[in-house]
C-alpha cells in the first residue's frame, strides 16, 4: 500500500484531486509495472492497433464505463495477487500470447475468488503436456490438493450451448486422470440473463459429468457489470454443481463458495483486498 501512496504523491495536483482521473492513472501505472508500457499501448489504449478485450472504447457511455472498469479491475487483481505462487507464469502468458488475454484474465479472476474466500491456491506453470496443463492447484481445508482448469467464453461470443460442452471437454483433457479435478467456467453476463440458457448450461454440465468419473465439480461463474443512475455496479454470481457419481466423490462437499461468505467493507470486498478504485479513499 505504501507504493500506491507514493504513486499518488507523484501525480499532478489536478489529477490527484479528481477521483476518476486519479484512479485510471494508478491503474495504468500498476498494469504497466507488471506488463510493460508497450503492452499497454498495444492492448489498452483506445487507438491500439488490434481489437482487444481491454482496449478503451469511447463509442458510448456504456462501453466507455465497461472498458475503463476492466482496466481498473485488472490492476486490482495484479496488485493483490502478485504474491501468489505461479503468478509470474500468468504474467508471462499475457505478455506473449495476445489471444489468451481474456482467458488469462478469467484465470486471475478465479484466483481472486479463491483468495477473497480464504481458499489456499497457486497458479500452475503451463507444461504443454496432456493431463498436466491445468491452471490452478487449490487446497481444501483438510489439505486435499485439487487441480482445476479455467475456461472462458468471450464477452462478444454469441450464445452457443454446444461451445460450453466443447470447453468442458477441452478442460477435461488438460486435467490428470488419477486425481479429482474441478473445472471453472466463466460465461458472459448476457448468457445468464437468458434464464433458459442459464438452465441449459447447468443441464449441459450435469450431462457432461455423467460421462466422466474424475471431474468432481463444475463452477459456472459470471462477472456482472451494470450501469444506471450514474453508478457502475460490479457483482459476481456463481453456480456450483457436483458429480456425485465420481469415483472420488465419497460424500465430500466439493463446494468452495458461499453467498456473502467473505467479510466485506463498504466497498464490497474483504478488508484484505486493496481497492484501486478511488484510492486512497477506499477504507
Amino acid at each position: 500500500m505504501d507504493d500506491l501512496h507514493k504513486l499518488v504523491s507523484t501525480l499532478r495536483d489536478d489529477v490527484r484531486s479528481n477521483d476518476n482521473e486519479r484512479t485510471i492513472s494508478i491503474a495504468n501505472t500498476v498494469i504497466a509495472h507488471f506488463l510493460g508500457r508497450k503492452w499497454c499501448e498495444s492492448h489498452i489504449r483506445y487507438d491500439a492497433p488490434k481489437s482487444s478485450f481491454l482496449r478503451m472504447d469511447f463509442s458510448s457511455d456504456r462501453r466507455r464505463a465497461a472498458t475503463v472498469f476492466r482496466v481498473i479491475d485488472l490492476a486490482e487483481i495484479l496488485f493483490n495477487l502478485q504474491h501468489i505462487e505461479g503468478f509470474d507464469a500468468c504474467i508471462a502468458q499475457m505478455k506473449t500470447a495476445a489471444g489468451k488475454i481474456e482467458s488469462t484474465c478469467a484465470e486471475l479472476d478465479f484466483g481472486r475468488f479463491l483468495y477473497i474466500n480464504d481458499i489456499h491456491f497457486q497458479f500452475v506453470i503451463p507444461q504443454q503436456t496432456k493431463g498436466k496443463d491445468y491452471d490452478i492447484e487449490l487446497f481444501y481445508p483438510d489439505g486435499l490438493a485439487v487441480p482445476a482448469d479455467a475456461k472462458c467464453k468471450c464477452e462478444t461470443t454469441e450464445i452457443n450451448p454446444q461451445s460450453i460442452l466443447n470447453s468442458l471437454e477441452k478442460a477435461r483433457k488438460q486435467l490428470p486422470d488419477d486425481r479429482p479435478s474441478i473445472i471453472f467456467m466463466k460465461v458472459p453476463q448476457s448468457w445468464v440473463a437468458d434464464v433458459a440458457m442459464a438452465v441449459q448450461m447447468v443441464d449441459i454440465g450435469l450431462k457432461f459429468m455423467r460421462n466422466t468419473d474424475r471431474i468432481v465439480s463444475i463452477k459456472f461463474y459470471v462477472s456482472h457489470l451494470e450501469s444506471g443512475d450514474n453508478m457502475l455496479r460490479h457483482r459476481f454470481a456463481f453456480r456450483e454443481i457436483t458429480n456425485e457419481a465420481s469415483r472420488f466423490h465419497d460424500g465430500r462437499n466439493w463446494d468452495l463458495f458461499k453467498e456473502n461468505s467473505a467479510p466485506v467493507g463498504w466497498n464490497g470486498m474483504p478488508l484484505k483486498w486493496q481497492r484501486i478504485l478511488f484510492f486512497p479513499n477506499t477504507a
Side-chain angles (χ1 to χ4, degrees):
M1 188 185 301
D2 288 344
D3 290 338
L4 293 182
H5 281 291
K6 290 178 182 178
L7 172 58
V8 170
S9 69
T10 66
L11 299 175
R12 296 196 321 263
D13 289 343
D14 59 319
V15 174
R16 189 166 58 247
S17 62
N18 184 298
D19 285 344
N20 293 325
E21 292 190 20
R22 184 179 67 252
T23 296
I24 196 63
S25 294
I26 295 173
N28 283 329
T29 302
V30 169
I31 295 173
H33 171 76
F34 289 105
L35 294 167
R37 292 287 179 187
K38 289 186 178 180
W39 189 94
C40 292
E41 292 173 359
S42 298
H43 300 289
I44 293 180
R45 282 178 57 94
Y46 71 93
D47 56 354
K50 293 183 179 180
S51 178
S52 166
F53 167 68
L54 294 166
R55 189 175 70 177
M56 294 290 189
D57 186 343
F58 300 135
S59 61
S60 70
D61 289 343
R62 182 176 180 277
R63 290 181 178 178
R64 176 188 57 77
T67 52
V68 167
F69 185 84
R70 285 175 191 158
V71 170
I72 297 169
D73 196 46
L74 174 60
E76 279 195 7
I77 292 175
L78 295 177
F79 185 83
N80 284 278
L81 299 187
Q82 59 181 299
H83 63 285
I84 299 295
E85 185 175 346
F87 172 81
D88 290 344
C90 290
I91 296 300
Q93 182 168 267
M94 291 190 77
K95 282 183 176 180
T96 59
K100 291 189 175 182
I101 291 176
E102 187 169 358
S103 61
T104 305
C105 284
E107 183 180 339
L108 289 165
D109 208 3
F110 290 126
R112 164 173 50 192
F113 227 58
L114 294 170
Y115 179 72
I116 65 176
N117 281 278
D118 296 320
I119 298 165
H120 180 51
F121 75 99
Q122 62 190 37
F123 296 108
V124 176
I125 299 174
Q127 299 183 44
Q128 307 302 319
T129 301
K130 183 179 179 180
K132 297 182 179 180
D133 203 24
Y134 50 91
D135 298 317
I136 287 173
E137 187 104 353
L138 61 88
F139 302 86
Y140 278 82
D142 63 355
L144 178 66
V146 177
D149 197 61
K151 294 302 178 191
C152 173
K153 301 280 98 179
C154 297
E155 289 291 338
T156 55
T157 303
E158 294 293 329
I159 293 178
N160 181 358
Q162 183 60 38
S163 71
I164 293 286
L165 181 59
N166 293 341
S167 294
L168 292 173
E169 289 288 357
K170 184 177 180 180
R172 182 178 61 82
K173 294 175 182 177
Q174 293 175 260
L175 291 160
D177 292 326
D178 57 350
R179 299 174 62 190
S181 302
I182 290 173
I183 299 175
F184 290 111
M185 174 67 69
K186 184 177 183 180
V187 295
Q189 64 187 58
S190 60
W191 289 30
V192 295
D194 183 328
V195 176
M197 178 59 198
V199 171
Q200 191 172 5
M201 282 192 297
V202 173
D203 288 342
I204 290 171
L206 292 170
K207 182 179 179 181
F208 165 80
M209 289 194 297
R210 286 199 291 269
N211 296 313
T212 176
D213 66 354
R214 56 193 169 93
I215 305 300
V216 294
S217 181
I218 298 172
K219 321 290 188 185
F220 288 105
Y221 170 81
V222 62
S223 175
H224 186 65
L225 191 65
E226 61 184 18
S227 59
D229 300 325
N230 295 318
M231 294 182 67
L232 188 66
R233 300 177 181 87
H234 190 210
R235 296 183 293 135
F236 304 98
F238 57 89
R239 175 68 185 275
E240 302 181 83
I241 57 176
T242 295
N243 184 5
E244 296 183 357
S246 168
R247 69 181 188 271
F248 299 109
H249 176 50
D250 196 28
R252 172 185 282 269
N253 180 3
W254 295 100
D255 288 352
L256 290 169
F257 312 119
K258 296 179 181 178
E259 294 288 350
N260 302 318
S261 61
V264 297
W266 70 267
N267 61 32
M269 291 294 280
L271 299 178
K272 69 178 182 178
W273 185 265
Q274 178 58 59
R275 301 234 70 160
I276 285 177
L277 186 67
F278 300 146
F279 182 87
N281 303 319
T282 57

